[in-house]
């Protein structure tokens, strides 16, 4: 395909070169889409088998293949501070923030 692209770029007036390039590009896109579709179908089959066999470990490993691991590098989702100005990443800070949140909720319920 790269060779056909180079030939087409060197002489854009020649319609047969353009046709050859665009046909090879179309063919490559079809093959790539077929490969992507096969990959998705394989993942869906594996996930369905894991669910049917109640194998949660395999199911979540399959989901991690599809969606990828947690990307923030900390292993947890960051949480906003009570002022909303900063994000808390460390585990202890997140636990303290949740404790603060639920304490405020319990005070509202008592009133």
């Amino acid at each position: 395909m790269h060779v056909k692209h180079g030939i087409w770029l060197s002489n854009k007036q020649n319609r047969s070169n353009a046709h050859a390039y665009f046909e090879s590009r179309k063919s490559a896109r079809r093959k790539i889409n077929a490969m992507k579709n096969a990959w998705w179908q394989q993942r869906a089959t594996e996930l369905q088998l894991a669910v049917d066999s109640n194998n949660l470990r395999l199911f979540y490993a399959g989901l991690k293949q599809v969606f990828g691991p947690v990307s923030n590098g900390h292993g947890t989702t960051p949480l906003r501070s009570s002022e909303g100005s900063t994000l808390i990443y460390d585990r202890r800070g997140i636990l303290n923030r949740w404790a603060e949140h639920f304490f405020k909720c319990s005070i509202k319920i008592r009133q």
Side-chain angles (χ1 to χ4, degrees):
M1 186 170 101
H2 295 292
V3 173
K4 291 180 183 179
H5 184 247
I7 292 170
W8 175 66
L9 285 177
S10 66
N11 184 5
K12 288 190 175 184
Q13 303 303 322
N14 189 337
R15 292 200 183 268
S16 64
N17 289 342
H19 181 71
Y21 165 65
F22 288 119
E23 284 299 316
S24 66
R25 187 174 71 172
K26 191 187 310 183
S27 174
R29 284 184 179 171
R30 269 194 219 117
K31 288 177 185 177
I32 289 170
N33 286 338
M35 291 169 58
K36 285 181 183 179
N37 193 28
W39 186 85
W40 279 108
Q41 286 178 347
Q42 179 65 30
R43 294 290 92 64
T45 303
E46 289 173 2
L47 288 173
Q48 189 61 50
L49 288 173
V51 168
D52 291 344
S53 63
N54 289 329
N55 188 343
L56 292 179
R57 185 175 302 224
L58 185 62
F59 176 70
Y60 284 110
L63 286 179
K64 191 178 279 189
Q65 278 183 339
V66 172
F67 294 110
V70 176
S71 62
N72 66 4
H74 300 286
T76 58
T77 303
L79 198 60
R80 288 207 181 273
S81 64
S82 58
E83 301 85 35
S85 58
T86 60
L87 288 175
I88 303 170
Y89 289 99
D90 63 295
R91 185 172 175 80
R92 176 64 56 195
I94 290 172
L95 289 174
N96 289 337
R97 175 64 182 104
W98 278 116
E100 176 187 352
H101 169 74
F102 287 118
F103 180 73
K104 286 180 180 179
C105 288
S106 68
I107 290 175
K108 289 179 184 177
I109 291 173
R110 290 182 198 157
Q111 294 176 352

